[in-house]
């Protein structure tokens, strides 16, 4: 199935995520973090955070509700049986803490085909309740056997 | 600065990471399904392994997550539970308090994350 490039440039509706302390704890434990700023409000405040801090890679949690509909979009047309996550980049800005409301917007940055593989690149931009950028994500998905 | 971290995800780690991240793709949590689609068994989430690369760099920089400004990785092969992962990194570039660390994650002699680049502000 050849790659369709029509969805290039497509943008999706913003997705809002409210960050909570218990979700940060669950995520931090799953990835093996032990820094008390991810678990204890007082320790986080003493380190200069407003509340319990989120580990940088918690970006995947608050971005998921924005990036998933883009990856699942039939107009993008990804064949899931042949999908692999090829590459990932995050560029961080303002730290994220419990109580923040993060709004993420995703767009299709590029769709291309090389050597029988489809490259689907999505970009997500997340801002906090004050409109400050917290993370910019570039998600590269590779679909094998497209031609 | 030396980046080194060793971690062995246990058998049920992919399940806990699925719950924490919301990614319940059965290739990560169902060994039987994974084998049916040609994998050796259920595989680790790539973003879990990327989180180990992030953690290794933040820890090496003193533990403050605000030091990590950028992280880019390429996923290769697949990570498995119950096998040790080793993350190693060396400084490639240093200027104006910004350090770029070339990092990779290896498991059982295979690089599962390569060409990773972490940018830290010290």
């Amino acid at each position: 199935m050849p790659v369709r490039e029509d969805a290039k440039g497509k943008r999706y509706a913003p997705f809002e995520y409210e960050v909570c302390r218990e979700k940060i704890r669950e995520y931090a434990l799953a990835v093996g973090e032990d820094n008390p700023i991810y678990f204890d409000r007082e320790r986080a405040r003493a380190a200069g955070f407003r509340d319990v801090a989120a580990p940088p890679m918690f970006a995947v949690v608050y971005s998921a509700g924005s990036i998933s509909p883009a990856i699942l979009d039939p107009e993008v047309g990804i064949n899931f049986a042949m999908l692999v996550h090829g590459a990932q980049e995050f560029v961080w800005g303002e730290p994220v803490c419990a109580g923040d409301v993060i709004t993420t917007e995703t767009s299709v940055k590029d769709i291309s085909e090389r050597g029988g593989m489809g490259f689907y690149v999505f970009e997500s931009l997340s801002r906090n309740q004050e409109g400050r950028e917290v993370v910019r994500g570039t998600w590269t998905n590779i679909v094998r056997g497209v031609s | 600065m030396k980046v080194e971290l060793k971690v062995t995800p246990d058998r049920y780690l992919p399940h806990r990471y699925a719950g924490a991240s919301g990614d319940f793709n059965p290739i990560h949590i169902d060994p039987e399904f994974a084998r049916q689609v040609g994998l050796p068994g259920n595989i680790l989430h790539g973003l879990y392994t990327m989180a180990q690369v992030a953690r290794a760099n933040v820890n090496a920089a003193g533990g403050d997550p605000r030091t990590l400004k950028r992280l880019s990785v390429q996923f290769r092969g697949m990570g498995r539970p119950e096998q040790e992962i080793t993350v190693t990194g060396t400084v490639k570039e240093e200027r104006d308090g910004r350090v770029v660390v070339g990092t990779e994650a290896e498991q059982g002699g295979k690089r599962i994350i390569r060409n990773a680049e972490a940018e830290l502000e010290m």
Side-chain angles (χ1 to χ4, degrees):
Chain A
M1 198 167 63
V3 166
R4 294 203 327 259
E5 299 180 13
D6 330 346
K8 212 189 284 184
K10 188 171 176 180
R11 310 184 70 83
Y12 298 84
F15 174 84
E16 203 176 273
Y17 183 97
E18 191 172 331
V19 180
C20 101
R21 199 159 31 130
E22 297 308 330
K23 190 67 191 178
I24 293 176
R25 179 199 302 277
E26 182 190 4
Y27 177 84
L29 286 172
V31 297
E33 295 285 4
D34 56 7
N35 189 332
I37 62 169
Y38 303 135
F39 303 96
D40 182 322
R41 182 175 284 159
E42 295 318 312
R43 294 289 292 273
R45 283 190 177 147
F49 296 95
R50 289 184 297 280
D51 202 319
V52 165
M57 286 295 294
F58 188 79
V60 306
V61 178
Y62 56 73
S63 308
S66 177
I67 198 81
S68 302
I71 293 173
L72 295 168
D73 183 358
E75 215 177 294
V76 173
I78 287 179
N79 174 8
F80 288 94
M82 303 299 267
L83 175 68
V84 289
H85 194 168
Q88 181 69 45
E89 179 178 59
F90 287 115
V91 177
W92 287 277
E94 187 75 6
V96 170
C97 299
D100 283 358
V101 179
I102 308 296
T103 303
T104 303
E105 287 185 90
T106 294
S107 59
V108 183
K109 195 177 175 191
D110 195 35
I111 299 176
S112 61
E113 189 179 328
R114 309 196 278 282
M117 296 194 290
F119 290 79
Y120 297 82
V121 184
F122 300 88
E123 189 169 70
S124 64
L125 174 61
S126 304
R127 294 179 190 277
N128 68 13
Q129 63 283 0
E130 289 155 2
R132 301 182 70 174
E133 191 169 317
V134 297
V135 85
R136 191 179 282 270
T138 305
W139 314 65
T140 303
N141 292 285
I142 301 174
V143 177
R144 295 165 294 147
V146 290
S147 53
Chain B
M1 199 181 88
K2 193 174 173 228
V3 176
E4 192 176 62
L5 183 143
K6 286 181 189 291
V7 60
T8 304
D10 66 60
R11 186 174 185 179
Y12 300 109
L13 181 280
H15 303 76
R16 293 198 301 283
Y17 184 83
S21 67
D23 180 352
F24 286 92
N25 186 328
I27 60 171
H28 301 303
I29 52 178
D30 185 340
E32 207 172 303
F33 177 90
R35 282 191 286 270
Q36 276 168 15
V37 297
L39 297 168
N42 62 316
I43 62 170
L44 297 176
H45 295 76
L47 290 169
Y48 165 81
T49 310
M50 184 178 179
Q52 303 314 309
V53 173
R55 189 158 74 90
N57 278 284
V58 169
N59 288 354
D64 187 331
R66 289 167 291 200
T67 52
L68 183 62
K69 297 299 176 192
R70 182 175 69 85
L71 179 61
S72 66
V73 305
Q74 287 179 6
F75 299 107
R76 285 295 178 277
M78 53 200 107
R80 301 291 318 279
E82 300 184 280
Q83 275 182 44
E84 187 175 66
I85 298 169
T86 304
V87 180
T88 50
T90 50
V91 174
K92 283 165 73 175
E93 201 185 310
E94 195 166 357
R95 136 182 96 200
D96 310 326
R98 284 225 170 197
V99 176
V100 178
V101 182
T103 317
E104 56 184 45
E106 166 277 321
Q107 189 183 47
K110 285 181 292 190
R111 288 183 300 167
I112 55 174
I113 283 185
R114 68 175 189 190
N115 296 335
E117 209 174 81
E119 202 172 313
L120 301 153
E121 199 173 74
M122 311 302 273

